[in-house]
Amino acid sequence: MYHFHPLLRWYAVQSYLNNQLLTIVVNIEMILAGNIICGIPWGIFQTLTTAYAAEICPAAMRGYLTAWVSMCWGAGSFLATGVLRGSLQLGTDNDAAWRVPYGIQWVWVPPLFIVGFFAPESPWYLIRRGRQADAEKALRRLARKDFYTEETMAQTLALMNHTNEMEKIESENASYKECFTGTNARRTGIVCMAWVIQMLNGQSITQYAAIMLRSVGMSATNAFNYNMGIQSVNILATGIAICLMGRIGRRAFYLFGTTSIGACMLAVGIAGFVGTKSTIPYVTAAFLILVQCAFKVSLGPTTYVIVGEMSSSRIRAQTIVLGRAVYVCCGIMVQQINPRMLNSSASDWNLGAKTGLVYFCLCFVWVVYIWFFLPETKNRSFADIDYLFQKKVNARKFTTTPVDCKFSCSFRSS
């Protein structure tokens, strides 16, 4: 496991050096190399900080922090869009318009370094390393004054040690091969498909909104203005999702999100055929805002919940890694296909707004899959989920099928 302080400080410094490299590049090859190197600390930040937050926060807050990840992505996209919009004023006759956005990333390095220096160590990391005294100090620092008595502190440490030993037993000899055997194969497939649906549903077009709006006839300034509007809904929509997370099921979230995005993509695609040059850009922008709202209220935050609940506890880490690998592969595919569909140069496909029909077809497939194959795990314990998968219960009957408590307990202890 990780040691939070030195890793965050080291990657903050590395990110600073990598961004500095990107501001002094002189050709496209150096830009490629700089972005590849930057991907190392950025990838660590994506996983390290989430795991750290989950380990130091109270259990009651973990679901909210899981959804908060999606909000942070949205806030970052909004800030990045604002920087790019501001860079338009620098003109296109020099390199400042693209060097300045890279250079502005330097401002994040000092805060990250300071946070990494003063942040408390994860008590769970210290327990795994057998540092009981340090774990106790970390727990007291994370809680309000006098929250722990000597008795409750001893009980908390005992529970953490017991949990650590149980995790060792459960993960002993666990392998990636197990992810594809027995009922685990079904669970691994659901986790991977959750990431596929999150990426290949049309929402990814909003990341290229400025390119798409330019391709359908909007000016560069207005395209970036509308792109900021599209990204600005992230925080509000994710806040709504956090409020609804405990009331609406995961399956319902996924059906609503995919259906809504599919309908918006259909509207955008139709506009590409019947709209005029003056109306297509604004119709497209309006529906892209709705797409972003639907995604952030549903698929965006809910995917993290599904991934955490569907995988078996014994091979949860391996299953999540496989799912994330599928997500990255889909991301690479989207990064290659979307610009080709949206750009209007001779070497591209120049679909423009008609790209919406491509994603409408995909959304139709995803709705069918969700209806028949995505189980509802809301209000189900991990033992219940294990039992239902072991009994090969139909996905549509997960909420109504009674659980044999005796079988569930014996299954979990076996």
Side-chain angles (χ1 to χ4, degrees):
M1 291 298 292
Y2 54 85
H3 191 14
F4 181 72
H5 293 97
L7 273 179
L8 186 55
R9 290 199 296 266
W10 165 250
Y11 285 115
V13 173
Q14 185 179 355
S15 180
Y16 169 81
L17 295 175
N18 295 341
N19 284 324
Q20 188 177 37
L21 170 64
L22 285 170
T23 60
I24 61 174
V25 297
V26 295
N27 54 47
I28 191 67
E29 290 77 12
M30 290 183 68
I31 293 179
L32 174 62
N35 277 288
I36 290 175
I37 297 173
C38 279
I40 298 173
W42 291 342
I44 292 294
F45 286 143
Q46 291 179 26
T47 54
L48 174 65
T49 52
T50 304
Y52 173 75
E55 289 196 355
I56 67 170
C57 74
M61 293 180 60
R62 286 176 189 166
Y64 297 102
L65 283 182
T66 301
W68 183 262
V69 172
S70 182
M71 182 177 288
C72 292
W73 278 102
S77 298
F78 177 70
L79 289 174
T81 303
V83 170
L84 293 176
R85 169 63 180 84
S87 298
L88 289 177
Q89 310 302 324
L90 299 176
T92 58
D93 56 347
N94 57 63
D95 291 339
W98 63 268
R99 290 187 189 273
V100 168
Y102 278 122
I104 289 178
Q105 296 180 78
W106 294 359
V107 303
W108 299 108
V109 177
L112 285 173
F113 190 87
I114 294 171
V115 168
F117 185 82
F118 289 104
E121 186 56 89
S122 164
W124 286 98
Y125 166 83
L126 298 170
I127 287 292
R128 295 184 190 104
R129 292 296 179 268
R131 296 163 56 182
Q132 302 292 321
D134 291 334
E136 179 177 345
K137 291 179 182 178
L139 286 171
R140 293 191 184 279
R141 181 180 175 185
L142 289 167
R144 66 177 182 269
K145 187 177 180 181
D146 299 326
F147 177 80
Y148 289 107
T149 64
E150 292 299 325
E151 181 180 359
T152 57
M153 176 57 72
Q155 292 173 350
T156 301
L157 290 173
L159 177 60
M160 293 175 68
N161 280 296
H162 176 73
T163 302
N164 184 46
E165 293 302 319
M166 291 300 98
E167 288 180 350
K168 287 181 180 179
I169 295 173
E170 282 192 338
S171 61
E172 188 178 8
N173 299 322
S175 65
Y176 285 98
K177 182 179 179 180
E178 280 192 64
C179 296
F180 303 99
T181 58
T183 58
N184 288 331
R186 179 185 177 189
R187 303 173 79 157
T188 301
I190 293 171
V191 169
C192 292
M193 282 301 300
W195 286 117
V196 170
I197 294 172
Q198 191 195 53
M199 178 59 72
L200 301 179
N201 59 60
Q203 184 273 342
S204 59
I205 288 182
T206 62
Q207 301 173 22
Y208 301 87
I211 296 176
M212 185 175 190
L213 295 176
R214 290 283 292 127
S215 70
V216 296
M218 188 176 285
S219 67
T221 301
N222 284 338
F224 276 93
N225 287 341
Y226 275 97
N227 192 24
M228 287 186 65
I230 292 169
Q231 301 301 335
S232 67
V233 303
N234 290 333
I235 298 176
L236 175 62
T238 306
I240 296 173
I242 293 174
C243 296
L244 297 177
M245 191 64 64
R247 304 177 184 178
I248 300 178
R250 293 77 166 109
R251 179 182 168 92
F253 264 128
Y254 252 61
L255 279 171
F256 165 77
T258 307
T259 303
S260 301
I261 293 173
C264 291
M265 288 293 102
L266 177 62
V268 170
I270 292 174
F273 282 98
V274 303
T276 64
K277 289 185 177 180
S278 60
T279 60
I280 290 178
Y282 299 99
V283 170
T284 301
F287 278 103
L288 288 182
I289 292 175
L290 294 178
V291 165
Q292 192 73 339
C293 286
F295 179 81
K296 287 298 180 179
V297 167
S298 56
L299 299 180
T302 310
T303 300
Y304 296 94
V305 181
I306 289 177
V307 168
E309 291 179 341
M310 292 297 176
S311 51
S312 171
S313 59
R314 174 177 168 81
I315 52 172
R316 180 164 290 124
Q318 289 84 352
T319 306
I320 291 175
V321 168
L322 288 173
R324 194 65 182 179
V326 169
Y327 173 83
V328 171
C329 291
C330 290
I332 294 173
M333 183 170 62
V334 164
Q335 290 170 5
Q336 295 299 315
I337 293 177
N338 276 355
R340 286 175 169 80
M341 290 194 292
L342 299 176
N343 280 323
S344 56
S345 63
S347 60
D348 294 312
W349 303 341
N350 192 23
L351 295 180
K354 299 173 185 177
T355 303
L357 293 180
V358 176
Y359 282 109
F360 166 73
C361 294
L362 285 174
C363 285
F364 180 81
V365 175
W366 304 150
V367 168
V368 174
Y369 169 83
I370 293 167
W371 181 258
F372 287 104
F373 299 106
L374 181 64
E376 178 57 74
T377 54
K378 179 176 174 286
N379 296 328
R380 290 290 194 180
S381 67
F382 285 122
D384 292 346
I385 296 172
D386 287 344
Y387 170 83
L388 294 169
F389 275 113
Q390 185 71 8
K391 286 295 185 179
K392 300 180 180 179
V393 174
N394 188 290
R396 289 175 292 165
K397 298 180 179 179
F398 257 56
T399 55
T400 58
T401 302
V403 174
D404 186 334
C405 295
K406 293 182 179 179
F407 181 91
S408 177
C409 292
S410 63
F411 174 69
R412 288 290 293 168
S413 61
S414 61

